[in-house]
C-alpha cells in the first residue's frame, strides 16, 4: 500500500477584537450618523470632519510613539497654544520689513517648527536626563505654556494681521484635487509614522523601550535617546499642527488647544496602542481620531446629547479602552 502524504492548509484565524473593535466601532458610527442626518455623508461635512481631525491626528501620531516608548505628554494642547502665539507674534513683527507674502509665512512656519521641537526636547530632557516622571514634567509644562500664552496676550487674544491672515488662509481652506491641505499633510504624517513604527528600527526600539527598559538597555537600545527622540518628534508635530491651525482662525488665546491632550491620548488608546508602552499602532490611532471626530460631529448634527458633554464622553471612552486592554492582557 503506497504511503499517502496528507497535507493540511494552514488555518486562517480572524484578527483579534483589539484589531477589529475600533474598525467595527467606526463603521457603526458612520451608519448611525447617516441614519440620523442626511447631510452626514455629504462631501462638505466629510471634508470638514477630516480637516478638523487633522490637528489632533497629526499630534496623535507623535503621541503614539511617546506612549509606545512608555512615556506620556499632557502638555501638547497648551504647547500648541504657545507655539501659535509665538508664530503670530513673529509674523506680525516681521510684517513691516517683509510685507505680506510668502517669506513672512515661511518665517512663521519655521518659528512653529523650531518652537515645537525645542518644547518637545525640553520635555524629553527633563524626563530622560533629570529623571523626573513624565506625568509631573508635562503637567508642569502644561501650566507654564498656558500661562505664557495668557501673559503674551495680556489676558486676551493675539490676532494675526488681517491682510496677512487673508494671504495665509488658503493653507487651511484650499488644497489640490478638492482635498484640503490639512488632510493631505495628515495623510503624509500617517504614512511616514506607519513606516517608522512598523518597518524602521526606530519603531522597534520604541516598542522595546516601552516593553521593558532594562531588557532594551541590555539589547543595545539607547533608552534615553529613544525616549528623547519621541518627545522631540511629538513637539515638532505639534508645530506642524499649529501651522495648519493658525490660518483657520488667525488668532491664539489661553483657550486655544484646550483638551487636545485628552483627545490625542484617547485616539491613541482607542486605536490599540498599549497605555503602559511596548506596543503601538499608527493606523489604529487614525481610526481612533476618526471615531472621536465622528462622535463630536454626530453630537453637533443631532440633539441626542449636548455637544458640551463631548469631553465627558471622551473621558469615558478612555476609561473603557484601558479596561478592555487590561482584560485582554489578563486573558492573554
Amino acid at each position: 500500500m503506497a504511503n499517502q502524504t496528507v497535507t493540511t492548509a494552514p488555518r486562517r484565524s480572524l484578527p483579534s477584537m483589539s484589531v477589529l473593535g475600533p474598525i467595527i466601532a467606526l463603521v457603526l458610527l458612520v451608519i448611525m450618523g447617516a441614519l440620523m442626518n442626511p447631510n452626514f455623508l455629504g462631501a462638505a461635512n466629510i471634508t470638514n470632519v477630516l480637516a478638523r481631525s487633522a490637528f489632533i491626528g497629526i499630534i496623535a501620531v507623535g503621541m503614539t510613539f511617546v506612549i509606545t516608548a512608555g512615556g506620556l505628554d499632557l502638555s501638547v494642547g497648551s504647547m500648541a497654544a504657545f507655539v501659535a502665539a509665538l508664530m503670530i507674534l513673529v509674523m506680525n513683527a516681521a510684517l513691516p520689513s517683509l510685507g505680506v507674502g510668502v517669506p513672512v509665512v515661511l518665517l512663521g512656519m519655521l518659528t512653529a517648527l523650531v518652537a515645537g521641537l525645542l518644547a518637545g526636547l525640553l520635555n524629553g530632557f527633563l524626563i530622560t536626563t533629570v529623571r523626573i516622571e513624565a506625568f509631573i514634567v508635562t503637567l508642569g509644562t502644561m501650566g507654564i505654556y498656558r500661562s505664557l500664552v495668557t501673559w503674551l496676550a495680556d489676558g486676551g487674544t493675539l490676532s494675526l494681521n488681517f491682510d496677512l491672515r487673508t494671504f495665509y488662509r488658503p493653507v487651511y481652506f484650499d488644497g489640490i484635487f478638492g482635498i484640503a491641505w490639512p488632510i493631505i499633510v495628515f495623510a503624509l504624517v500617517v504614512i511616514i509614522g506607519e513606516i517608522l513604527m512598523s518597518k524602521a528600527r526606530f519603531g522597534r526600539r520604541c516598542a522595546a523601550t516601552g516593553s521593558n527598559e532594562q531588557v532594551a538597555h541590555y539589547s543595545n537600545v539607547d533608552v534615553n535617546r529613544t525616549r528623547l527622540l519621541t518627545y522631540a518628534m511629538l513637539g515638532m508635530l505639534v508645530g506642524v499642527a499649529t501651522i495648519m491651525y493658525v490660518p483657520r482662525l488667525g488668532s491664539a488665546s489661553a483657550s486655544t488647544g484646550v483638551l487636545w491632550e485628552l483627545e490625542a491620548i484617547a485616539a491613541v488608546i482607542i486605536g490599540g496602542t498599549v497605555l503602559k508602552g511596548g506596543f503601538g499602532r499608527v493606523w489604529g490611532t487614525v481610526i481612533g481620531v476618526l471615531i472621536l471626530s465622528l462622535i463630536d460631529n454626530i453630537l453637533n448634527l443631532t440633539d441626542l446629547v449636548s455637544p458640551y458633554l463631548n469631553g465627558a464622553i471622551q473621558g469615558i471612552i478612555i476609561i473603557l479602552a484601558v479596561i478592555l486592554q487590561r482584560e485582554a492582557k489578563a486573558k492573554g
Side-chain angles (χ1 to χ4, degrees):
M1 186 177 179
N3 292 332
Q4 293 182 346
T5 303
V6 179
T7 57
T8 56
R11 289 184 178 179
R12 290 185 179 179
S13 57
L14 288 173
S16 65
M17 279 309 293
S18 67
V19 175
L20 290 177
I23 298 173
I24 293 172
L26 181 63
V27 172
L28 289 176
L29 277 174
V30 171
I31 295 172
M32 188 188 303
L35 292 175
M36 288 182 174
N37 193 306
N39 297 321
F40 179 77
L41 291 179
N45 187 55
I46 295 296
T47 300
N48 183 46
V49 169
L50 291 177
R52 296 185 66 177
S53 302
F55 308 133
I56 300 300
I58 292 169
I59 295 172
V61 170
M63 188 71 80
T64 306
F65 285 88
V66 168
I67 292 179
T68 301
L72 191 69
D73 195 333
L74 301 175
S75 69
V76 290
S78 52
M79 187 191 297
F82 177 62
V83 171
L86 279 183
M87 189 178 170
I88 290 171
L89 285 174
V90 168
M91 291 175 78
N92 284 342
L95 191 58
S97 55
L98 295 180
V100 177
V102 174
V104 72
V105 171
L106 291 178
L107 178 64
M109 291 179 175
L110 181 64
T111 301
L113 291 176
V114 172
L117 178 63
L118 291 177
L121 282 172
L122 175 64
N123 281 342
F125 172 78
L126 292 173
I127 292 165
T128 59
T129 305
V130 187
R131 296 286 180 186
I132 306 174
E133 289 291 330
F135 174 80
I136 301 299
V137 169
T138 57
L139 188 66
T141 52
M142 179 177 72
I144 293 170
Y145 292 138
R146 190 69 66 190
S147 296
L148 284 174
V149 174
T150 307
W151 175 65
L152 288 172
D154 198 20
T157 301
L158 286 168
S159 298
L160 196 61
N161 175 275
F162 182 78
D163 294 334
L164 189 51
R165 181 189 168 191
T166 304
F167 182 81
Y168 193 16
R169 276 172 64 89
V171 172
Y172 176 80
F173 291 97
D174 284 0
I176 52 175
F177 306 119
I179 305 173
W181 285 116
I183 301 173
I184 295 170
V185 173
F186 180 30
L188 290 175
V189 169
V190 169
I191 292 170
I192 295 171
E194 182 63 36
I195 292 172
L196 279 177
M197 182 63 82
S198 60
K199 305 291 183 186
R201 187 178 298 174
F202 180 63
R204 292 193 291 275
R205 287 179 173 173
C206 289
T209 300
S211 179
N212 191 314
E213 190 174 322
Q214 288 188 337
V215 172
H217 175 71
Y218 289 126
S219 302
N220 258 346
V221 175
D222 191 330
V223 172
N224 283 344
R225 189 172 68 176
T226 301
R227 284 217 173 103
L228 182 66
L229 286 175
T230 61
Y231 282 100
M233 178 193 295
L234 176 56
M236 198 161 66
L237 287 177
V238 169
V240 173
T242 306
I243 288 171
M244 297 290 111
Y245 176 81
V246 166
R248 178 168 172 253
L249 298 177
S251 63
S253 68
S255 62
T256 300
V258 170
L259 293 181
W260 280 17
E261 59 280 342
L262 178 68
E263 294 183 36
I265 293 171
V268 173
I269 303 306
I270 292 169
T273 295
V274 178
L275 182 59
K276 291 185 177 179
F279 177 77
R281 200 157 52 199
V282 172
W283 68 263
T285 298
V286 176
I287 292 180
V289 170
L290 294 177
I291 288 174
L292 293 175
S293 297
L294 288 182
I295 290 173
D296 184 40
N297 188 242
I298 290 172
L299 291 180
N300 284 320
L301 291 177
T302 62
D303 55 358
L304 282 178
V305 182
S306 169
Y308 297 124
L309 290 173
N310 191 21
I313 294 173
Q314 289 172 359
I316 293 170
I317 290 174
I318 291 178
I319 295 170
L320 287 176
V322 172
I323 291 173
L324 290 174
Q325 281 187 3
R326 190 175 58 186
E327 290 183 351
K329 187 176 180 180
K331 289 179 182 176

